[in-house]
């Protein structure tokens, strides 16, 4: 969502990049490094990897259509997932115990225990939404980023350093994604395939906001989290919990295509 909002690229590779940084962190903690130093180094590694991918897209695909750039990120996601599984192991061989400072339960809703990490994740998401919103509307950098997202060719003509800004956005998104994945990893099992597979959840949430509205995206995250929590509380459908994001995507695609058909029929 952030890469599309800021540089007009639907980034399918972001969760794989974040998972890489998270596993760099947990590998360092397993080796004896303290948690905070490991967290900084993990975030830095995710930022560098994401910046490298962004630089590649800027260098070779800057003039291509959005769908082409999205397809490139899909290929990058597949490649990064394969490399990550090779380096860190799969579900049965590569699960790690991530630090969980916010794992204590806070309250219970309908039989679902809500840990402190959920509240921290919500606060982090709200902070990102507010921060990016203020950046885009109240700062000169935000105006340049909006120009880069909406009219990249024009932005370069008027002197905006588009390549450097784009790579900076990719680096920032990589670090933020790594931090989000570290927050949710203790609840999801801590293996690379599960964490990189969070792209389906991210896409469902981004679609709620139509890849443009940050507040709607935050609301979509809340709704999807409630749906997944409710499904985990019902034993008969608990094992199908992973299908929820795909159902949300299908419903949204159907609803929006329905609106397009309606508009077409009434324009005749």
């Amino acid at each position: 969502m952030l890469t599309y909002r800021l540089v007009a690229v639907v980034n399918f590779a972001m969760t794989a990049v974040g998972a890489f940084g998270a596993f760099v962190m947990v590998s360092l903690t397993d080796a004896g490094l303290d948690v905070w130093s490991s967290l900084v180094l993990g975030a830095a590694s995710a930022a560098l990897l994401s910046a490298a991918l962004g630089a590649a897209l800027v260098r070779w695909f800057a003039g291509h259509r959005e769908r082409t750039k999205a397809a490139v990120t899909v290929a990058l996601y597949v490649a990064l997932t394969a490399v990550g599984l090779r380096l860190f192991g799969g579900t049965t061989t590569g699960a790690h115990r991530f630090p969980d400072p916010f794992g204590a339960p806070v309250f219970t809703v309908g039989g679902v225990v809500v840990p402190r990490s959920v509240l921290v994740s919500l606060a982090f998401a709200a902070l990102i939404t507010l921060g990016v919103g203020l950046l885009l509307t109240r700062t000169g950098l935000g105006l340049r980023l909006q120009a880069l997202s909406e009219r990249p060719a024009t932005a370069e003509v008027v002197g905006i350093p588009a390549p450097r800004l784009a790579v900076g956005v990719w680096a920032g998104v990589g670090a933020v994604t790594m931090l989000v994945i570290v927050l949710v990893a203790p609840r999801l099992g801590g293996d690379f395939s599960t964490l990189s597979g969070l792209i389906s959840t991210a896409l469902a949430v981004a679609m709620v906001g139509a890849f443009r509205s940050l507040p709607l995206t935050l609301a979509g995250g809340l709704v999807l989290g409630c749906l997944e929590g409710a499904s985990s509380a019902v034993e008969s459908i608990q094992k199908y919990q992973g299908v929820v994001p795909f159902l949300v995507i299908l419903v949204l695609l159907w609803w929006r295509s329905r609106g397009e058909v309606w508009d077409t029929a009434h324009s005749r």
Side-chain angles (χ1 to χ4, degrees), residues 78-90:
V78 174
L80 288 173
T81 299
V83 173
L85 290 174
R86 179 70 176 176
L87 292 176
F88 305 115

Side-chain angles (χ1 to χ4, degrees), residues 156-213:
E156 289 195 70
V157 170
V158 299
I160 294 175
R164 281 183 292 171
L165 277 179
V167 171
V169 167
W170 278 79
V173 169
V176 169
T177 305
M178 177 269 178
L179 295 175
V180 172
I181 286 182
V182 166
L183 280 174
V184 302
R187 294 186 286 114
L188 298 179
D191 66 274
F192 191 88
S193 59
T194 298
L195 298 180
S196 64
L198 288 173
I199 188 60
S200 59
T201 302
L203 287 175
V205 170
M207 285 188 68
V208 174
F211 290 92
R212 301 298 300 178
S213 172

Side-chain angles (χ1 to χ4, degrees), residues 135 138-145:
L135 172 70
R138 301 293 180 87
T139 67
L141 175 60
L143 293 176
R144 290 193 289 271
L145 286 172

Side-chain angles (χ1 to χ4, degrees), residues 13-35:
M14 65 178 182
T15 53
V17 170
F20 251 92
F23 271 82
V24 168
M25 173 199 165
V26 78
S27 298
L28 291 173
T29 57
D30 289 346
L33 190 64
D34 66 278
V35 172

Side-chain angles (χ1 to χ4, degrees), residues 11-77:
N11 184 8
F12 287 88
M14 65 178 182
T15 53
V17 170
F20 251 92
F23 271 82
V24 168
M25 173 199 165
V26 78
S27 298
L28 291 173
T29 57
D30 289 346
L33 190 64
D34 66 278
V35 172
W36 293 110
S37 298
S38 300
L39 182 67
V40 171
L41 291 174
S45 66
L48 288 173
L49 177 57
S50 186
L53 299 182
L57 261 77
V58 169
R59 175 65 177 83
W60 290 300
F61 298 95
H64 288 72
R65 295 180 178 181
E66 291 180 5
R67 66 184 68 179
T68 302
K69 296 176 184 178
V72 171
T73 66
V74 171
L76 291 172
Y77 169 78

